[in-house]
Structure formats: C-alpha cells, structure tokens
Amino acid sequence: MATSIVPYRMQPAGRERHMFATSDDNAMLRQVQATHAPDGREFNVKPLLYIIEDIFQRAAPSFPGFIQETQAQLDVLDDKAFQSGFFDMLDLLSSTINRISCEISCKCSGGGDAHATTLGIFNIVTSYSWDSKVVLALAAFALNYGEFWVVAQLFPVNPLAKSVALLKQLPEILERADTMKPRFETLSNLITAMLDLTKCIVEVKELPSDYITPDTPEMAAVTAHIPTAVYWIIRSIVACAGQILGLIGMGHEYIISTTETWELSSLAHKINSIYNHLLQQLKLCHQLIEEKRQIESYQALVRLMETIHIDNMKVLNRLLIHTKDDQLPLVECPTKRKVSIDVLRRKSVLLLVSDLDVSNEELFLLEQMYRESRQLSSRTESQYEVVWLPIVDRSTPWTEAKEHKFEALQYMMPWFSVHHPSAIDPAVIRYAKEKWDFRKKPILVVLDPQGRVVNQNALHMMWIWGSVAFPFSVAREEALWKEETWRIDLLADSVDPVIPTWIMEQKHICLYGGEDLEWIRKFTALMGAVARAAGIALEMLYVGKSNPKEKVRRSISTITVEKLSHTLPDPTLIWFFWVRLESMWHSKMKFGRKVQQDPIMQEIVTMLSFDGSDQGWAVISRGPHMAKAKDETILKCLTEYTTWEPNVPEKSFVVAMNDYLNENRPPHHCNRLILPGEAGRIPEKVVCAECGRRMEEFIMYRCCTD
C-alpha cells in the first residue's frame, strides 16, 4: 500500500493549522517589526529581481496548458539584468542569499513551524530595507526552484542531469504529469502573485521623494502595509519551497494531497488581496505625484512664456513636444509627412487650438484664407504658419470613432498639426484653458518670431479682415479699428466678391434677411418698385440668418427660382456674414468698448438684434450712409415712399429714408439681442441700440436641429 509522505507544513498539527487559519496579523506584525534593524545599506534590487523573474519564467513547467514566455521576451530580461555593476553587487549579496537558501532547505526538509521559519529568514535579513528583504528571500527560493527545474528539464538529454534526476526520483514524478498538473498550476499561480506583490513593494520604494515624502498621508497609508506584505511573501516562499522539497525522493509513493493545494491557493488569495489593496494605495500616490509634476510643469511653462527669447524655438519646443524623444512632433497634413519644428523657426506661428468638433464652415474659410495668402509667397502676409493643437477631454476613453474623426479633420487641413492629441502635454492644455481662455470654440493664438504671444485669439480679426490683418497682433487689431467706420465695406464686402463691384459702380445696396417667405416676397417687390420710382440703381442680396438651416435653404431656393434678388451661392457664406458680425463684437469687447460710447458697436448690436428676432429686416446703403429697419417698419416706410420722396433730390435716397425712419419710430418695440458667448467677454450692461435703455438680461440655451 502506498503511504502519503506530507511535508512538515501540511501536517495537521493543531498549532500549525490554527496559526495559518486564525493568526493575528497585528501580533505577527509586532514580531516582524522586532527583527527590523536596517543599518542604512542600500542596493538596487531591480537587476536581481529581473534575474529572479527570468528563473521563474524559464522554469515554468512544460506541461500542456502552461504559457511560457517567448525567447524575445526572455532576452529582454537578460538585457535588463546584466547592467553595469551587477556582478559586483551579486558578490556582496551571494552569502546572504545562500544563507536564506540553506535556512529554507534545512527547515522545510526537517519539518517545523512555517511561521518560525519565516521569522528565521527575517533575522537573516534584519539589516536590510523591506524591499531588499523580500527580493533576497525570493532570490534564495528562485535558486532552489531553478535547480529543481534545471534537472527536470535536462534529464532527457543530459547524462549528468539524468543521474541527478534518478537520485531525486524526478522521472517517476514527471511521468505522472497529468496528475501533477493541478499542483504545479497552483504553485505557479502563487509564484506569480508573489512576484506581482514584490514588484509593487519595489515600486513603492522607488517613488520620487521630491514629490512625495514619508509623512504624506498617501505614502504613509502605503508603507503601513509593507511589513505585512513582506511577511506573507516570505511565508509563501516557505510554503512553495516545502512543496518542491516534498517532491524530491518520493517517487512512486507520492500521493496528491488536496490539503496542500488548498494551502497554496489560500496563500495566493491572501497575497492577491494584499496586492490589490496596495495597488489602489499606490495609484493614489501616483496621482498625487502626477498632480505635483503637472503643477511644476505648468509653472515652468508660465515662466517660459513670460521670458524674452531670441527666437521661437524654446517656446515651440515646450508647446509642441511632450517628450524629448519626440523630435518630429509635427505632421504636414496634406502629405502626412512628419517634420521637426525647425520649419517654424523665426516665423509668426498661429496655433489653431480646438477640440474635434471644429465646424466645416470654419475649416473651409480658414483654408481659403490660408491658401490665398500662399498664392504670392513674397507677400508679407504670407510669412506665417498655422499649427493645429487638438485638445480633447482625457477623462473619456479615446475610441476608434474619435481616431477616425481626428484623421478626417487632419486630412482637411493644408497646414501643420501635432501628430496626435495624446502628444500634447497636460500642462499645455491647462495653459490654453487658463491663460488663453480656451473653452469649446476654436481659438487662434498668435506667436511672433520670438515666441511671444501677441494675440490670444486672432480668429475674430481673421474673420473680419482676412490676411490683411497680418501679423495678427493685438496692436494691429487696434490700428485696424481706428481706420474703420460703419459702412457696407466693413459689413459685407468680404462675403461676396460682387459687393466691391457694386460699391465701385456707386449702386445702392440692400442687404436683407429673415425666414418668412411672404414677408420676403412683399419686401422685395416693394423695394424694387420704390427703386424704380426713385430712379436709383439697386442691388438686393439675401443674407438669411446666423443659423442657416433648412428654412433658410428653402428661402434661397424660392428667391432664386422667383428671381426676387441675389442670394449668396453657399450657405457657408451666410454663416460667414453673421460670424463676422459676432467677431466684430468680440474684437471690440477685447478693447473694453461699450455700446453706448461706440457708434460701430451700436450698429453691430442692431444687426445682431435683427438676427435675434423672428422678423424680416433690411439695410440700405450707398456711400457712407445707411438706413435700416425691420419687418413692418421697413414695409411701412416703402409703402409711404411718396411722403418722403420730395426729400430725395436734396438729401439722397438713403438719407431721406433714414430721416423718415427716425421720425416715425413705432411707439413700442421689443428687441431681442443674442450675444455670442465667450468666457469673460459678456458685459454686465448692454443698452438698446434703438432707445438707449438698459436691456434686461436672460440666459438662453439653444439647440437648433432645423
């Protein structure tokens, strides 16, 4: 009859079973702490840990179902382990490793108390730090474990290994691989758990003291669990060693014990529980470290941006290159070719900062302006480059759909782009939000050839004046406003190329909008009749509404079919007409202009209030004069043309119309002004452009799907 030879730790002695099942971690911790007397000696445990991991991976049982590392992965471990000074370090540690190995072999083969054996190992490594203790103990076990599997793997092909294996009776055990597989699987799982927890302990030791100190609550919470973690790893080493030693010399008499497998599984569960808890605490430490690093990085960026430089390279390096290895951070969008930032040296650089929701209209018009500026490379206004900085919400996962959207936008751009949103430093994202007021809408930040920010958002002046606004600085923006007066040129000449022609021909120009087709028919008929009666050359252009959806498209179609007036050929141009007005508002607000003190602001508010209403409206202009009104007011004015007709020869058509409108204002009005929102740009007080009274303030959220 076969007899069961059970290693000492599996003997069902009441004391040992009680110690494993109900041991008080606090009492154990006091015993472990009593052995801890570090003398300050330190060594880099990483190379030794790489060797240990290499042994465990190469020694993995070659039974069916076990996953072994590829040769390439193992060669990487070799490269990591054999670093400069490794063998000198091993000379100093080899005696300690051998002492622990002997302690394990002697105590486990002779039977005894696992807890006492564990404490014996702690006494050997008393002068080492916690991470060194556990790595040295693991190295000693790896020595025994590796020796066992070297013989087991080589005995079929190596005569010496075969002789040693026969003495250890390994062939008979390995012949029963199917019955041994559960035992080795459990053993491998526990070894993996020990390695994971050991790496976690080493990672705690390597946390940078510049960013986290021992008295930091997060760090204190982690280090409080380290002695317990080290104890249970060494305790598990003792259990694993007992398993290996229990196999040697048993041959055909060995019988699988479910109690032994259960103990290894329980230890693996214990180790994994400690690991998961420690990992969560470690994540909190890493979060704290990352926060401090980001604060440091942000403050360094702020200082850099405030410093005077001889060129723009330092600033662009910091803004566009996240890591030092990323020496080709830019993509030339049309060709997808990666380039260095040298292509931007000593040039004005416009940073297009946006998320992935850039509208097609914005991209189309920016592209048009960019290409126009490139047609004559010798022109001053062509001496700038555009770089797209795509800023995305990193709190949500990066998906395949987002990747496709990013690539589609990149494909549409004729300029440069950062090669991927993930390449942008979080400190740069914070800087864009806090210093450049980037929220949701795209902004165009201008850096001069020395890397100074000369305009935090030149997009508005780009919409208003195009490339004429070069070099797009705030000073240039202010100078352009000083030259401007409210006239049809400012309002619309860049929207349709035919308008400058009409201006040159000294024609009367009428811009009108709204969505009510019946009003449009009535207005265009009346306006045409009055123009003929007055004998003036008139051109009418429909500019719709700021949100040119289906109703506006239907109006354009009807106006075109019925030949009521001119229309803009593309809905994008209607959008552009209104976004220019919004940009004028933003640009004026940048310089602290108030509606009641600025004639151009008053006209902008009037136009925006026209768009904010549900009614039709019209502006009639010739030369420096304009007349404007909405809905029934303008219709009444045209219907009563004979009333103010006598004034036309003396005053001109537009002035006479304007006088009539001013003298016949309706007694009541309700003007609705929808101001384009932008962080920090909405004034506390806005007055009505018609009567001068302060307007009531409401909050409106709009989602237009029409």
Side-chain angles (χ1 to χ4, degrees), residues 101 129 148 162 203 228 259 295 421 459 546 560-562 570 598 605 695 703:
S101 179
S129 60
F148 174 85
K162 183 176 181 180
E203 191 176 347
T228 302
T259 306
I295 291 171
L459 202 55
S546 61
T560 304
V561 170
E562 298 180 12
D570 190 330
D598 190 315
V605 166
M695 300 181 79
C703 176

Side-chain angles (χ1 to χ4, degrees), residues 23-44:
S23 61
D24 182 352
D25 274 8
N26 290 329
M28 171 272 294
L29 188 58
R30 286 192 294 271
Q31 290 179 301
V32 170
Q33 292 279 20
T35 69
H36 185 55
D39 59 6
R41 71 179 76 179
E42 295 280 348
F43 70 93
N44 182 10

